[in-house]
Amino acid sequence: MPDGSHGSGRSHWGSRFGFILAASGSAVGLGNIWKFPYITGEYGGGAFVLVYLGCVLLVGLPLMYSELIIGRRAGKDVLGAMRKLTSHCGDMGKDLSGFAGMMGIASGFLILSFYSVVGGWAIHFFWVSLDLIPMAQGGADETFGALAGSWKVSTLWHTVFMALVISVVARGVHDGIERVCSRLMPALIGILLILLVYVGFTGGLGASLAFLFRPDFSKLSGEGALEALGHAFFTLSLGMGAMVTYGSYLKSDTFVVRDGVWIAALDTIIALLAGTVIFAVVFAAGMEPGAGPGLVFVTLPDLFAQMPGGQAVGIGFFLLLIFAAWSSAISLLEVVLAYFVDEHGLSRGRGALLIGGAIWLIGVGSAVWSQVFDFLDGLTTNYMLPLGGMIIAIAAGWLIKPEDRVAGFTRTGGAGAFLATAWLVVIRFVTPVLVLAVILYKMEIIRFE
Ligand code: PHE
């Protein structure tokens, strides 16, 4: 089958396992290794983790199914799929789902532009940990300040990162994405396990596990709960059609329930392992966990420098960060590219270069002006993903035809029917309401004093 072609010769994953690795590669990213640990640190640990796990189950998984079902059933890019499965609806339904599709493509475009800048920072720190770029006199703080403050250096690494992403996506779903993710994901898990064994000897492991897994509900705030819910979206790559697009390369008889559980479980386990490793390092050094967004780039490199064998740990850690960011960035570009390939007949190779180039250009804006970075980050993760997720939930729960809806649950007999009903109740009523709460909170309409 010609890979990357459109129309009847549309590409497919080589195996179910390959699909799970690619989709969990999308899910496991900077959100797991960089963001999850620092927000957990800021919101007080165990109780936040518990709420986050609840959000993954109650909102994340149901939405993951919705996206996979829509993609698999339609066999098209996110906009094409949303249009196809709601073509029998009235104008309002059609417009709403078309809007979500377009917003998904725009989100992929915009998120990748700044995500790539952060991916580039990880490459810079990888070179620093190899000692190929010297650490600044003032340590990681100064090194990071100089990096983020120099648009030239940031742009250089952003360019390298985008080139890595484009080169994989251009080669197609099977020969590019699946093949690379099938190597990156096992490598990533391997590195994480080695780091875990290492921190077992540093003395911080017990404190780290207690911090992450012993809930202290007095520390939990409403703000933390909504942050956990918002993060569940980002970390599972939901709300913009990444799972619709990846689901569309499944064979049409694939049973998606088990795969969804695998993807969410891998994502969650890897976030928890990364948190365990990072906080063990932090506690072993007698530091506080609430360092904020600078945790990975500012706090950790200094701590690595002080640890015995720390150089190897630093190299492993930043390689982990690069791999995680890379496989996620691939899915962001694929959402946009699939649209141009499926709907406009653009060739995959040319499209990857053109669209990747345009994304690169916007990304330079984020590398030059931190305001652009912050604006795009806030706009996409706070508003576009939740809004997209809400509409996808509404489309899956209310708009698409019942036979399209249950298709992903068949082949399980009685349990399938029960699961389908439970899922339908959640996706119709619970998910949209909870997601609306996140949006209102981000818009500061819901406040916690
Ligand atoms: N899930 C990725 C992460 O955790 C980010 C992402 C969001 C990727 C949306 C694709 C789509 O870093």
Side-chain angles (χ1 to χ4, degrees):
M1 175 176 335
D3 199 292
S5 58
H6 54 94
S8 53
R10 203 160 189 279
S11 14
H12 286 291
W13 303 109
S15 71
R16 215 187 114 212
F17 190 57
F19 159 68
I20 292 176
L21 288 180
S24 51
S26 167
V28 175
L30 295 168
N32 302 61
I33 320 274
W34 165 65
K35 193 160 183 199
F36 174 75
Y38 94 70
I39 54 178
T40 302
E42 283 184 330
Y43 289 105
F48 176 85
V49 172
L50 211 60
V51 173
Y52 165 75
L53 293 177
C55 295
V56 167
L57 275 181
L58 211 60
V59 179
L61 256 186
L63 209 59
M64 169 91 64
Y65 289 154
S66 309
E67 291 207 14
L68 290 176
I69 285 168
I70 290 175
R72 194 208 62 154
R73 192 71 174 167
K76 277 171 158 283
D77 66 288
V78 56
L79 178 57
M82 292 294 281
R83 278 192 182 142
K84 183 171 170 183
L85 296 192
T86 55
S87 60
H88 61 284
C89 298
D91 280 347
M92 222 174 93
K94 276 196 278 199
D95 290 349
L96 193 67
S97 58
F99 172 70
M102 277 186 293
M103 201 165 55
I105 295 159
S107 303
F109 196 92
L110 296 176
I111 294 177
L112 182 51
S113 75
F114 65 84
Y115 201 87
S116 166
V117 175
V118 183
W121 291 344
I123 303 180
H124 182 90
F125 270 93
F126 177 63
W127 289 112
V128 171
S129 48
L130 283 171
D131 266 345
L132 293 172
I133 294 176
M135 182 89 105
Q137 283 282 304
D141 193 7
E142 205 178 305
T143 310
F144 180 66
L147 169 64
S150 158
W151 73 269
K152 286 185 191 151
V153 183
S154 282
T155 299
L156 170 74
W157 294 122
H158 159 58
T159 310
V160 172
F161 187 83
M162 276 309 294
L164 286 174
V165 176
I166 292 170
S167 67
V168 175
V169 175
R171 263 179 256 146
V173 174
H174 179 54
D175 297 336
I177 303 176
E178 183 173 353
R179 184 180 307 173
V180 169
C181 290
S182 302
R183 292 183 188 149
L184 289 183
M185 289 307 287
L188 183 150
I189 293 171
I191 295 173
L192 205 48
L193 291 178
I194 294 171
L195 293 179
L196 194 67
V197 171
Y198 175 83
V199 298
F201 296 99
T202 58
L205 186 60
S208 173
L209 290 173
F211 178 69
L212 283 171
F213 297 105
R214 198 177 294 152
D216 173 359
F217 284 99
S218 67
K219 287 197 184 143
L220 187 69
S221 58
E223 200 185 327
L226 286 180
E227 192 68 37
L229 189 52
H231 183 64
F233 261 89
F234 186 78
T235 190
L236 291 174
S237 304
L238 298 173
M240 53 157 286
M243 294 298 157
V244 174
T245 308
Y246 274 15
S248 76
Y249 302 124
L250 286 168
K251 305 229 163 72
S252 59
D253 61 349
T254 316
F255 168 61
V256 297
V257 175
R258 228 172 7 205
D259 298 13
V261 172
W262 265 109
I263 301 163
L266 274 171
D267 185 73
T268 306
I269 291 168
I270 291 174
L272 291 173
L273 285 179
T276 306
V277 167
I278 290 172
F279 288 119
V281 173
V282 169
F283 287 128
M287 309 261 295
E288 287 299 315
L295 183 62
V296 160
F297 291 115
V298 175
T299 312
L300 283 186
D302 279 340
L303 300 183
F304 291 151
Q306 298 160 13
M307 291 161 74
Q311 182 176 16
V313 177
I315 294 169
F317 181 80
F318 285 107
L319 203 58
L320 177 77
L321 200 59
I322 295 168
F323 286 178
W326 190 8
S327 56
S328 295
I330 286 170
S331 71
L332 288 162
L333 181 56
E334 181 58 28
V335 169
V336 188
L337 182 61
Y339 163 73
F340 284 100
V341 170
D342 285 350
E343 309 292 323
H344 299 286
L346 201 64
S347 83
R348 177 167 277 275
R350 253 208 359 202
L353 208 59
L354 279 172
I355 297 159
I359 293 173
W360 172 84
L361 199 63
I362 309 280
V364 172
S366 283
V368 177
W369 297 288
S370 64
Q371 296 90 327
V372 173
F373 185 112
D374 293 342
F375 171 74
L376 290 179
D377 181 11
L379 177 72
T380 51
T381 50
N382 293 345
Y383 302 106
M384 291 171 76
L385 293 187
L387 189 60
M390 190 167 81
I391 302 177
I392 291 173
I394 292 170
W398 299 94
L399 300 178
I400 69 175
K401 291 186 182 151
E403 63 261 33
D404 289 334
R405 202 180 288 140
V406 297
F409 290 96
T410 46
R411 301 211 301 154
T412 39
F418 171 75
L419 276 175
T421 311
W423 169 77
L424 190 61
V425 171
V426 172
I427 206 71
R428 279 194 165 172
F429 303 104
V430 182
T431 312
V433 172
L434 287 179
V435 175
L436 185 66
V438 172
I439 299 172
L440 295 179
Y441 159 68
K442 296 290 184 184
M443 291 172 78
E444 297 185 15
I445 294 171
I446 298 181
R447 268 176 233 237
F448 299 92
E449 298 311 332

